[in-house]
Amino acid sequence: MEKPPLPNDEDGSVLAESRSDTALVAADEEGSAGADGPEDDRPAWDSKLQYVLAQVGFSVGLGNVWRFPYLCHQNGGGAFMLLYVLLLLIIGVPLFFMELAAGQSIRQGSIGVWKHISPRLAGIGYSSCMVCFFVALYYNVIIAWSLFYMGNSFQYPLPWEQLKHTECASSSPTSYFWFRKALDISDSIDQSGEFNPIMTGCLLAAWALVCLAMIKGIKSSAKVMYFSSVFPYAVLICFLIRGVMLDGAVEGIKYMFYPKVTTRVWRQAATQVFFALGLGYGSVIAYSSYNPVHNNCHRDAIMVSGINFMTSVLASLVVFVVLGFRAKNIALGYPESVTLQDYREWYSHYGNLLGSNITDCDLEREMSKGVEGTGLAFIAFTEAMALFPASPFWSTLFFLMLLNLGLSTMFGTMQGILTPLMDNFRVLGRHKTICILGFFIGLLFTQRSGNYFVTMFDDYSATLPLIIVVVFETFSVAWIYGADRFLDDVEVMLHWRPPVIYCYLWKYVCLLGMVGLLAASLLRMVFKRPTYTAWNHTMGSETSLEYPGWALVMLSMLIIVASLPVPIGYLLSFLRGGRSLPVEEGEIEPPRERYSKCNSAEPEPNNHHSPLDEDRNRPRSTFLPLGAEHYRLLPQQEEGEEEEDTGL
């Protein structure tokens, strides 16, 4: 249902009044509708629990399970966690709070929010939508893989336990099943091959699940969140309890926290903070836009960030107790029969007298195999679960957990696309259209070389564009709109003023930190030629290959297409001579000064009060919970004057 147009005076007298006598109407929890006027038709969460589960479900994703544990070990264990917490507090939480507050106060998706905050940088919202679409394309493929493995878990023994093949013997049964049975992968990205019919069917099922869950927007997806956001925690706790009973669990935890000195720790910690909270996607803004105006988004930012970090720690413990069991079982063969220390001491004395089939128990080497990304989930963890008693049960549980983690993140990603499109281009914001388009483009990932394209999209379609988006987001709020003014709006919204330290964090720490991360990422791309990991079926092992020329062009286009809306939006706004928003025929555009930085202290000459000075004397105001096209300026009411019906 389209929102009805606001009443306006034929002669435009409302907007023709002096700016010193006007103010933005303050938003209210019950909506902005007048007593006799129509109500805002924007959906809303049924409860605070729904909203929290949605934000947690989006931010807690597969990266918490298969990325954070790897980074934690590779960069010094406990030292990495301390640095991660520090960056989370000074960069992650402030930026997360900024996005929550912007979405909740303006009550629009990413396009509408940044169009209001910084009209010349309105392209930020379009870039967020593009990145969300790229991520949705390959993220649903991972959900399809989880569906495939979960379906194969309902049999005993598990199909990847005992495979007999020459290629399998030179690697491992789980590696062979993943690369040759599940993916039927080619030897390089140049060898595309035919489509994988089973994976194509799984991808169709994955998009069907997403489409059904999004059929009524947040009203339907929020119901699914009650299960998809909570179930992974139950599974992680079950795996942790079972894992600590396994031989090798203690060695696994020690390996996780074993200190290592690296020079790239700050960059990897900052990157993980950035992606763990889902900054820049527009999904955080979209979810918060359905909140009541006076919801305490500051508390939400701290709570969701804390839950995200604790989930990463829990997942890391689960991963390494299971990998410790797996590594010790591989190294010793009979983990209950002898301790690791006794075995290594025995081997140091008699190892040179033994044949080549008896080797040293190098736990470090075994633990380092496949502890990141798909290698962890579909190779290392599946191998460990095959050693569990009742292995089909644990395998089904694990892949059902991955399925729910993926779906909850996918719902948020889709909302980052649909909400801004519905707010600005209602015809385009149909979930069926997005899902059908996503499936057909996603067929790129179901051919034999599809896994290599998933790696390309994962590495390049989101990383740089998202960092660029957040840099401009922070700059827009801190320097163009004004950090102090933004905090004023938040004060009106929350009825209390957040600490002033947020102004300094937004203006300096967050902005400089994100610019530094952008520079480090660009330098890494320039000085290190992009590579991908391919499967060599002749050797039965993985090998690192450089992308061919056409693939380099493709990944460059992914970055450019996702980042291009920002400069294009600025250029179009500049060519229009500063007119940021299209004004319909017969409509008078509100004065731009009302939306610009307002902390100047310079007085106007000729005893004339400036609008900026008068802003300090009148009650602070916030945004209407309506679309950008429905904002209007109304006469300022004197204190004690009876409120008039606005006709909204």
Side-chain angles (χ1 to χ4, degrees):
M1 174 177 148
E2 294 285 345
K3 297 176 184 174
L6 290 172
N8 55 11
D9 296 345
E10 292 182 0
D11 56 358
S13 59
V14 172
L15 294 177
E17 294 186 51
S18 169
R19 289 192 300 271
S20 61
D21 294 324
T22 59
L24 285 171
V25 179
D28 195 16
E29 282 188 15
E30 290 77 24
S32 61
D36 300 319
E39 295 184 356
D40 179 20
D41 63 352
R42 190 171 191 80
W45 301 104
D46 290 339
S47 66
K48 181 62 177 285
L49 179 61
Q50 269 191 1
Y51 166 68
V52 172
L53 288 177
Q55 288 285 18
V56 170
F58 170 67
S59 64
V60 175
L62 297 172
N64 296 75
V65 175
W66 66 33
R67 180 67 177 165
F68 184 90
Y70 169 79
L71 293 177
C72 185
H73 167 69
Q74 290 296 106
N75 295 281
F80 172 81
M81 283 196 179
L82 290 176
L83 181 58
Y84 181 89
V85 171
L86 175 64
L87 293 175
L88 183 67
L89 291 176
I90 66 174
I91 295 180
V93 172
L95 292 177
F96 193 59
F97 173 46
M98 181 185 77
E99 290 198 356
L100 288 178
Q104 183 172 305
S105 63
I106 302 174
R107 294 177 67 79
Q108 288 275 298
S110 55
I111 294 176
V113 162
W114 300 113
K115 191 181 290 185
H116 269 286
I117 289 180
S118 178
R120 290 204 171 185
L121 293 177
I124 294 174
Y126 293 93
S127 285
S128 293
C129 285
M130 288 299 304
V131 172
C132 277
F133 184 67
F134 286 155
V135 171
L137 290 176
Y138 76 83
Y139 212 87
N140 232 19
V141 177
I142 300 174
I143 295 176
W145 294 342
S146 301
L147 283 171
F148 174 80
Y149 266 82
M150 188 177 71
N152 278 277
S153 298
F154 291 98
Q155 50 185 304
Y156 185 82
L158 293 171
W160 49 82
E161 282 190 41
Q162 299 175 344
L163 291 173
K164 303 298 182 181
H165 194 277
T166 306
E167 185 179 341
C168 175
S170 58
S171 56
S172 70
T174 52
S175 295
Y176 176 80
F177 185 86
W178 165 241
F179 287 111
R180 303 298 286 168
K181 293 293 185 179
L183 300 180
D184 191 21
I185 201 167
S186 59
D187 285 352
S188 73
I189 197 172
D190 285 314
Q191 303 172 8
S192 59
E194 63 278 1
F195 289 107
N196 185 329
I198 298 178
M199 281 303 170
T200 302
C202 290
L203 181 63
L204 179 61
W207 276 110
L209 286 174
V210 172
C211 189
L212 289 173
M214 304 295 296
I215 195 167
K216 292 184 179 179
I218 63 168
K219 292 295 184 182
S220 55
S221 63
K223 299 294 190 297
V224 183
M225 289 288 185
Y226 282 116
F227 179 79
S228 64
S229 296
V230 176
F231 179 75
Y233 290 96
V235 175
L236 286 174
I237 293 173
C238 289
F239 266 97
L240 182 61
I241 294 173
R242 182 67 184 92
V244 295
M245 301 177 185
L246 299 172
D247 191 29
V250 175
E251 286 83 355
I253 295 176
K254 287 180 180 178
Y255 178 86
M256 170 182 167
F257 290 102
Y258 187 81
K260 288 185 178 182
V261 179
T262 63
T263 57
R264 58 183 181 177
V265 59
W266 77 268
R267 180 180 63 83
Q268 297 203 343
T271 303
Q272 183 60 22
V273 167
F274 176 78
F275 285 106
L277 295 177
L279 300 173
Y281 285 91
S283 304
V284 173
I285 293 175
Y287 275 157
S288 64
S289 72
Y290 301 115
N291 269 335
V293 174
H294 300 305
N295 172 65
N296 192 341
C297 56
H298 181 261
R299 181 178 59 197
D300 295 342
I302 296 175
M303 177 173 58
V304 173
S305 301
I307 293 174
N308 188 294
F309 172 68
M310 295 308 297
T311 305
S312 297
V313 175
L314 174 62
S316 298
L317 291 173
V318 171
V319 165
F320 279 95
V321 296
V322 174
L323 290 183
F325 164 72
R326 167 184 170 270
K328 193 171 183 181
N329 187 75
I330 292 174
L332 292 177
Y334 302 96
E336 293 83 9
S337 61
V338 63
T339 65
L340 176 63
Q341 183 177 357
D342 291 342
Y343 178 87
R344 300 206 71 176
E345 184 178 351
W346 173 83
Y347 186 85
S348 64
H349 289 92
Y350 304 104
N352 57 341
L353 303 177
L354 303 173
S356 58
N357 59 327
I358 304 295
T359 59
D360 188 14
C361 178
D362 192 344
L363 201 63
E364 172 81 13
R365 183 186 64 218
E366 296 299 333
M367 286 287 294
S368 63
K369 292 180 179 179
V371 295
E372 181 190 16
T374 54
L376 169 66
F378 300 107
I379 298 178
F381 229 83
T382 53
E383 185 173 350
M385 289 184 296
L387 303 172
F388 283 17
S391 55
F393 168 77
W394 292 102
S395 180
T396 303
L397 208 60
F398 176 72
F399 289 110
L400 185 58
M401 180 192 72
L402 290 188
L403 175 64
N404 281 276
L405 283 172
L407 284 175
S408 58
T409 301
M410 189 66 185
F411 295 155
T413 304
M414 289 292 291
Q415 210 63 56
I417 303 170
L418 295 174
T419 298
L421 290 182
M422 284 293 291
D423 290 339
N424 295 271
F425 315 101
R426 189 171 292 267
V427 176
L428 298 178
R430 295 175 179 173
H431 73 286
K432 291 182 181 178
T433 304
I434 302 297
C435 291
I436 292 173
L437 183 63
F439 168 71
F440 282 107
I441 299 178
L443 293 176
L444 170 71
F445 307 111
T446 63
Q447 55 184 338
R448 293 187 62 199
S449 59
N451 184 52
Y452 306 138
F453 288 99
V454 170
T455 302
M456 177 192 293
F457 272 68
D458 187 34
D459 290 342
Y460 299 104
S461 70
T463 306
L464 271 180
L466 278 181
I467 296 175
I468 293 172
V469 163
V470 175
V471 166
F472 280 106
E473 284 184 2
T474 312
F475 180 74
S476 299
V477 169
W479 292 99
I480 298 180
Y481 187 84
D484 292 326
R485 184 184 174 200
F486 187 79
L487 216 58
D488 290 344
D489 291 342
V490 174
E491 180 181 2
V492 172
M493 185 171 63
L494 300 184
H495 298 312
W496 62 274
R497 190 173 185 83
V500 70
I501 191 174
Y502 280 109
C503 286
Y504 298 100
L505 291 175
W506 288 329
K507 292 173 72 173
Y508 304 108
V509 178
C510 295
L511 185 57
L512 293 177
M514 295 309 301
V515 169
L517 183 60
L518 176 61
S521 301
L522 285 172
L523 290 174
R524 185 169 178 267
M525 283 191 63
V526 170
F527 291 106
K528 183 181 179 182
R529 184 181 174 91
T531 59
Y532 66 100
T533 301
W535 176 259
N536 189 313
H537 75 277
T538 303
M539 298 185 298
S541 63
E542 296 177 87
T543 181
S544 182
L545 299 177
E546 292 185 347
Y547 281 107
W550 64 267
L552 291 176
V553 173
M554 182 176 178
L555 65 87
S556 299
M557 290 302 298
L558 289 175
I559 298 172
I560 293 172
V561 168
S563 307
L564 206 56
V566 177
I568 288 179
Y570 183 86
L571 181 61
L572 291 177
S573 177
F574 179 78
L575 293 177
R576 287 198 301 262
R579 285 180 57 182
S580 56
L581 300 175
V583 181
E584 296 181 4
E585 185 178 354
E587 181 183 354
I588 300 178
E589 185 179 19
R592 187 67 257 155
E593 290 81 1
R594 293 293 299 150
Y595 300 88
S596 59
K597 190 175 178 182
C598 61
N599 57 358
S600 173
E602 290 188 14
E604 293 263 341
N606 302 325
N607 298 323
H608 214 49
H609 292 291
S610 71
L612 303 184
D613 291 333
E614 293 175 3
D615 280 344
R616 302 187 184 94
N617 298 326
R618 74 165 58 96
R620 294 188 181 96
S621 57
T622 186
F623 292 100
L624 277 167
L626 294 172
E629 69 277 12
H630 292 151
Y631 279 57
R632 63 179 294 196
L633 296 174
L634 296 176
Q636 174 88 18
Q637 295 173 354
E638 296 297 329
E639 187 176 32
E641 184 179 327
E642 185 178 350
E643 181 176 319
E644 297 179 5
D645 187 353
T646 63
L648 292 180

